[in-house]
Amino acid sequence: AVVSTQSTGGNESNRVAVPANDTPPAPPHNLRTKGLYSLHAVISHLGESRECGHYICDVRESGQWFFYDDVNMHVVDLHYVCNQRRNSCYLFFYLKDDNLLEC
């Protein structure tokens, strides 16, 4: 599942916060399947508007989080992603994980 912000046509946009943990809200009961989803990546936009700025990405691979931009890569943690991307997140990417089962 992918969640994004959408422009309202002016200078405002609908902001979506990075989840406090890496599991999204549960879908309605009639849409649930075996397994849950875990946060895999966050794409963020740093800049004043859609017309200027820079896109960056935080990705989880083998349980470790990494920050990427055009020339850099750094190891980070989920706490860093949540705090640093609070006002800049643009897209969330989730992967289905059959090892995460709802009780």
Side-chain angles (χ1 to χ4, degrees):
V2 178
V3 180
S4 68
T5 60
Q6 295 178 338
S7 173
T8 58
N11 291 331
E12 299 178 24
S13 64
N14 299 325
R15 298 281 182 192
V16 178
V18 174
N21 59 41
D22 65 356
T23 304
H29 189 273
N30 60 343
L31 296 178
R32 293 181 186 167
T33 61
K34 181 180 178 186
L36 295 175
Y37 293 82
S38 60
L39 185 64
H40 180 70
V42 177
I43 296 178
S44 301
H45 179 264
L46 306 178
E48 296 296 319
S49 71
R50 292 176 294 166
E51 289 78 29
C52 68
H54 187 69
Y55 289 94
I56 59 172
C57 186
D58 298 287
V59 178
R60 185 178 64 165
E61 184 63 39
S62 299
Q64 178 65 59
W65 281 91
F66 298 90
F67 159 80
Y68 295 93
D69 68 9
D70 290 342
V71 295
N72 298 303
M73 187 277 294
H74 304 285
V75 174
V76 295
D77 60 25
L78 181 61
H79 179 32
Y80 173 87
V81 173
C82 291
N83 287 324
Q84 294 298 313
R85 308 298 174 241
R86 180 170 293 149
N87 295 316
S88 62
C89 52
Y90 185 70
L91 294 172
F92 298 105
F93 293 88
Y94 290 92
L95 293 178
K96 186 172 180 183
D97 186 343
D98 287 332
N99 294 318
L100 297 173
L101 295 176
E102 188 173 21
C103 297

